[in-house]
Amino acid sequence: MVKALTFKGEKKPKKRKRTEASDSAAQEDGEESKKQVKRSDDVDEDANAAEQDDSWVSADTVNDVSGPIMIVLPTEPPSALACDTIGKVFTIPIENIVDGNPSSAEPHDVRQVWVANKIAGTENYRFKGHHGKFLSCDKFGIFSATSDAVSPLETFVLLPTADTPGTFQIQTLRETFLAVKEPPSSKSTTASSTKLPPAEVRGDATEMTFCTTLRIRMQARFKPRIKASKEEKAREKITRSELESAVGRRLSEDEVKRLKRARREGDYHEVLLDIKVKSKHDKYG
């Protein structure tokens, strides 16, 4: 058997024997690494879930309104503002609703969905239909959705209703309001008619009334408070390795729990400093 070349007086390298303690430490490190990877994957999954949350919630304030929305009109039964591909604006009764409660409404037709955005440099809003055209109201109060650009006709002001929280008024720059007009009652229709015509929507109301008071439903992932809450929960999840890297040494289970609790309660940096100071005292004490 051929052996490696050696010289007289050269020390032979000693073979290290694996001890049970080293094997146990290596196994613990491996398990901890797997846990850290799993925690990191959980954080990523929560962040992705927050971004892909397509559930519908009610806008509570004007600043909530952003992204895909549904404008719920005060009709009986509740209906939504809609438009077709040629730009005609009309109302559609809402099918996805619980016990007729407007706060539970969700769109069942893409024509009921508008994308709301603030116009840059102003507090005004624009509403884009599913076909890429903007909602517009002319001087006669007639709505359409045929414009590719935003002019004063496509510019609206969102106002909260003072005496009814969670409801809004949509006002044009001519200071008129979007209002819905119910169809004639069934008494005035012929006996053979079984279905009333849809409610008419106009933009020439001069006062705030029940007919101008509407609700706005929106996707949860665009609502600032819900979005911030989910981002905060994602930030609260931190791996053990990240905590140990911040402290500069391995941590006990109690220290990890203490730091994670502090991260949730908002005094993370103070607790981190306390643990760092304690580490120095233990080292030189």
Side-chain angles (χ1 to χ4, degrees), residues 119 135-137 149-156 171-174:
I119 299 174
L135 180 67
S136 175
C137 182
V150 177
S151 71
L153 298 181
E154 290 77 35
T155 302
F156 299 91
Q171 186 183 46
T172 69
L173 293 188
R174 293 183 305 279

Side-chain angles (χ1 to χ4, degrees), residues 31-196:
E31 290 177 356
E32 182 60 33
S33 297
K34 290 179 181 178
K35 289 179 181 178
Q36 290 168 2
V37 171
K38 185 177 184 302
R39 293 188 192 110
S40 180
D41 289 342
D42 290 342
V43 171
D44 291 340
E45 286 176 6
D46 288 345
N48 290 335
E51 291 176 0
Q52 297 173 3
D53 187 357
D54 290 334
S55 61
W56 289 78
V57 297
S58 294
D60 297 317
T61 67
V62 171
N63 290 331
D64 286 345
V65 179
S66 178
I69 65 167
M70 180 171 69
I71 300 172
V72 182
L73 303 171
T75 57
E76 187 58 42
S79 59
L81 187 71
C83 70
D84 58 21
T85 54
I86 62 173
K88 182 181 178 182
V89 175
F90 50 95
T91 63
I92 297 180
I94 300 171
E95 295 180 7
N96 291 346
I97 192 168
V98 179
D99 297 331
N101 182 2
S103 297
S104 67
E106 294 187 8
H108 67 274
D109 190 321
V110 70
R111 295 177 297 174
Q112 297 173 323
V113 179
W114 302 84
V115 178
N117 291 111
K118 270 189 177 180
I119 299 174
T122 73
E123 293 299 314
N124 302 328
Y125 279 82
R126 61 187 181 189
F127 303 102
K128 183 185 286 188
H130 68 285
H131 59 323
K133 309 289 185 180
F134 292 99
L135 180 67
S136 175
C137 182
D138 66 18
K139 63 181 180 180
F140 302 109
I142 298 173
F143 282 100
S144 62
T146 57
S147 178
D148 292 312
V150 177
S151 71
L153 298 181
E154 290 77 35
T155 302
F156 299 91
V157 181
L158 267 182
L159 300 173
T161 308
D163 56 350
T164 313
T167 62
F168 303 89
Q169 310 286 327
I170 294 182
Q171 186 183 46
T172 69
L173 293 188
R174 293 183 305 279
E175 298 186 355
T176 58
F177 298 94
L178 181 154
V180 64
K181 183 180 179 182
E182 291 272 22
S185 64
S186 57
K187 293 180 180 179
S188 61
T189 59
T190 60
S192 60
S193 63
T194 58
K195 189 176 181 180
L196 293 173

Side-chain angles (χ1 to χ4, degrees), residues 268-284:
Y268 169 74
H269 294 288
E270 290 83 353
V271 174
L272 179 64
L273 182 60
D274 288 343
I275 291 177
K276 283 185 175 182
V277 171
K278 182 178 179 296
S279 298
K280 289 182 180 179
H281 289 170
D282 291 345
K283 183 176 180 180
Y284 298 106

